[in-house]
């Protein structure tokens, strides 16, 4: 039962990476779009694209937190008492990002819009980096089972830096691909070309950093490297192929199934991490079964997750479909 709940938890992690990650990546392109005049059109498309869904996408983060502290309270205590600095920065980034995004659209004067826009954009880079560094700390075994680990070195190490950098790059890649398709649907060739070039750049840089990360993991996290190169290898191959095909489609200017391929590339690499981590929840020293709550609690969580799949998932799916078809209006 604990394994089943861990799968449900990881589904939430993947969903947040795909949906929340694309939102964070949009903030990265907002940050690098240029001055007020040059960057106005890309920023307008970003506002229109994420405006109706950015709050809903954080549902997945709440889901992950509730599942973690309810199903695996020992691991939750260990993570939060060790990694409270990056987690606190990530929470602050989420709050500032939301405030900046909302107030930028409500502001009438350009100086205020720039301040709120910068807040939104910088927070969109800070937050995924912190989440990536947390994942690196957990995967490399730097979170003690008893908690209260080193609050600095636990998330400032080669694996955590690699995780943070990849999180920012992957979010930027996802957002650029999604926005390329959105620009095409809006029949805006200049914007489509603008985001296509950035998707190619982000995808290429992500691939290069991922290859360099092999050497980082080999030196800093030998067990994770070993498991990724064995049972996680098929998933990593699928990820690499999906990413490569998406880049080829971008170069051919035929965005057929682009979003699906980009999502598959990210989802499979996250799954690869989960498969490599199994059966440990924290690095190499806390197994899933050891950290699990009592069985009745796990059954309640499974029932709640099932009810959410029936009652909430269709609503989220309808929201994403309507947004994809341009049926939702936003004041960007």
């Amino acid at each position: 039962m604990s394994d089943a709940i861990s799968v449900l938890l990881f589904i939430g992690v993947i969903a947040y990476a795909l949906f929340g990650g694309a939102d964070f990546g949009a903030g990265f392109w907002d940050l690098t779009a240029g001055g007020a005049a040059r960057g106005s059109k890309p920023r307008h498309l970003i506002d229109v694209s994420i405006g109706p869904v950015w709050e809903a996408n954080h549902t997945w983060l709440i889901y992950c937190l509730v599942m973690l502290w309810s199903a695996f309270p020992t691991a939750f205590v260990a993570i939060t008492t060790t990694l409270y600095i990056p987690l606190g920065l990530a929470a602050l980034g989420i709050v500032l990002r939301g405030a900046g995004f909302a107030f930028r659209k409500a502001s009438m004067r350009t100086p205020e819009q720039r301040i709120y826009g910068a807040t939104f954009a910088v927070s969109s880079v800070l937050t995924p980096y912190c989440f990536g560094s947390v994942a690196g700390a957990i995967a490399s075994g730097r979170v003690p089972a008893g908690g209260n680990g080193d609050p600095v070195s636990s998330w400032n190490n080669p694996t955590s830096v690699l995780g943070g950098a990849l999180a920012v790059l992957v979010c930027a890649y996802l957002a650029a691909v999604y926005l390329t398709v959105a620009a095409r649907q809006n029949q805006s060739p200049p914007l489509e070309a603008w985001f296509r070039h950035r998707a190619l750049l982000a995808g290429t840089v992500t691939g290069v950093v991922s290859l360099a990360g092999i050497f980082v993991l080999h030196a800093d996290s030998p067990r994770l490297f070993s498991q990724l190169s064995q049972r996680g290898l098929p998933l990593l191959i699928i990820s690499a192929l999906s990413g490569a095909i998406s880049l080829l489609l971008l170069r051919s200017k035929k965005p057929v199934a682009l979003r699906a391929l980009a999502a598959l590339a990210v989802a499979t690499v996250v799954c690869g991490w989960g498969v490599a981590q199994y059966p440990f929840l924290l690095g190499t020293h806390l197994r899933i079964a050891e950290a699990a709550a009592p069985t009745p609690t796990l059954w309640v969580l499974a029932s709640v997750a099932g009810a959410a799949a029936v009652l909430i998932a269709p609503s989220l799916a309808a929201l994403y479909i309507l947004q994809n078809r341009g049926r939702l209006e936003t004041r960007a």
Side-chain angles (χ1 to χ4, degrees), residues 240-314:
L241 289 175
S242 300
I245 293 172
S246 70
L247 293 180
L248 289 174
L249 289 175
L250 281 166
R251 290 183 64 87
S252 65
K253 302 181 181 180
K254 296 179 181 179
V256 179
L258 260 182
R259 282 184 293 198
L261 284 168
L264 180 62
V266 174
T268 48
V269 77
V270 176
C271 284
W273 165 42
V275 169
Q277 188 85 5
Y278 183 83
F280 295 99
L281 196 59
L282 296 179
T284 60
H285 49 270
L286 183 63
R287 294 177 180 270
I288 292 173
E290 296 170 345
T295 302
T297 301
L298 300 182
W299 277 109
V300 171
L301 285 173
S303 301
V304 171
V310 173
L311 300 175
I312 300 176

